[in-house]
């Protein structure tokens, strides 16, 4: 999610904030493994205890909007996180099923798996749809940007071509 957030920041004209966007992407699930029932709530508490910038706290917490918190994504960056968090998981799962990984992945391949509710079932299609709506972008456009971002960092992510 971190590299996708960095990629999106440049695509949307926020390149000067790429490090911040990436940090938000990296930190957004800080509390999930240890406190899944308190996800985002516990993270907010932990980050406030460390005097982390409120802008970062709001960004990471808002990705749990209507799931565990009532803090809505406001900034475009927060909406990108909301839309791409689940989508990166879905695209990563698709990449793992392909001998070429991400290298030649197309939106139509991901859309086919997106429509199959049993594939990567824990990746919420509803959240992805809501996030794309928040951004005012068709899902195919968001997918295209996420795929390109993940392709740019495929080797680092360990899902490059396996040929």
């Amino acid at each position: 999610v971190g590299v996708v957030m960095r990629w999106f920041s440049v695509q949307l004209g926020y390149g000067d904030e790429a490090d911040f966007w990436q940090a938000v992407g990296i930190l957004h699930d800080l509390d999930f493994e240890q406190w899944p029932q308190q996800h985002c709530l516990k993270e907010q508490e932990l980050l406030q205890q460390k005097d982390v910038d409120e802008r970062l706290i709001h960004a990471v917490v808002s990705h749990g909007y209507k799931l565990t918190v009532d803090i809505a994504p406001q900034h475009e960056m927060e909406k990108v996180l909301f839309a791409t968090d689940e989508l990166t998981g879905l695209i990563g799962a698709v990449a793992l099923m392909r001998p070429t990984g991400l290298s030649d992945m197309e939106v139509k391949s991901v859309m086919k798996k997106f429509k199959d509710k049993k594939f990567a079932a824990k990746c919420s299609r509803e959240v992805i749809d809501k996030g794309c709506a928040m951004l005012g972008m068709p899902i195919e456009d968001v997918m295209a940007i996420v795929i390109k971002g993940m392709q740019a960092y495929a080797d680092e992510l360990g899902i490059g071509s396996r040929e």
Side-chain angles (χ1 to χ4, degrees), residues 3-4 6-7 22 148-158:
V3 296
V4 168
R6 172 176 282 284
W7 186 264
Q22 184 169 9
K148 292 255 188 252
M150 291 177 75
Q151 286 171 334
Y153 295 94
D155 291 337
E156 292 174 45
L157 297 171

Side-chain angles (χ1 to χ4, degrees), residues 41-57:
L41 295 169
K42 190 67 175 174
E43 183 163 17
Q44 181 178 28
E45 177 186 319
L46 295 169
L47 293 173
Q48 286 172 337
Q49 288 172 359
K50 297 292 182 186
D51 291 324
V52 172
D53 183 327
E54 279 298 320
R55 186 170 162 233
L56 189 141
I57 295 171

Side-chain angles (χ1 to χ4, degrees), residues 24 27-32 39-40 43 57-69 71-73 78-83 85-86 127 134:
V24 168
L27 293 173
H28 80 283
D29 278 346
L30 181 71
D31 63 347
F32 186 75
H39 181 44
C40 295
E43 183 163 17
I57 295 171
H58 190 277
V60 297
V61 171
S62 70
H63 90 279
Y65 180 59
K66 296 287 184 189
L67 302 170
T68 57
V69 296
I71 299 170
E78 296 169 348
K79 294 172 185 178
V80 168
L81 177 61
F82 190 91
D85 182 22
E86 297 288 309
V127 169
M134 282 181 198

Side-chain angles (χ1 to χ4, degrees), residues 75-134:
H75 186 277
E76 194 167 24
M77 179 258 306
E78 296 169 348
K79 294 172 185 178
V80 168
L81 177 61
F82 190 91
T84 62
D85 182 22
E86 297 288 309
L87 188 53
T88 56
L90 179 72
I91 292 170
V94 173
L96 291 172
M97 300 299 294
R98 299 164 42 90
T100 57
L102 283 165
S103 65
D104 61 350
M105 185 180 289
E106 296 180 10
V107 170
K108 67 181 180 180
S109 301
V110 179
M111 280 303 297
K112 183 177 179 181
K113 295 297 188 182
F114 179 82
K115 292 174 184 175
D116 177 358
K117 305 293 188 227
K118 292 180 182 177
F119 181 82
K122 291 188 178 183
C123 295
S124 172
R125 276 66 168 171
E126 183 181 340
V127 169
I128 295 168
D129 285 334
K130 283 182 186 177
C132 293
M134 282 181 198

Side-chain angles (χ1 to χ4, degrees), residues 5-22 55 75 77:
M5 293 296 292
R6 172 176 282 284
W7 186 264
F8 244 104
S9 71
V10 174
Q11 302 309 303
L12 297 177
Y14 298 96
D16 58 326
E17 295 186 5
D19 290 340
F20 181 75
W21 283 49
Q22 184 169 9
R55 186 170 162 233
H75 186 277
M77 179 258 306

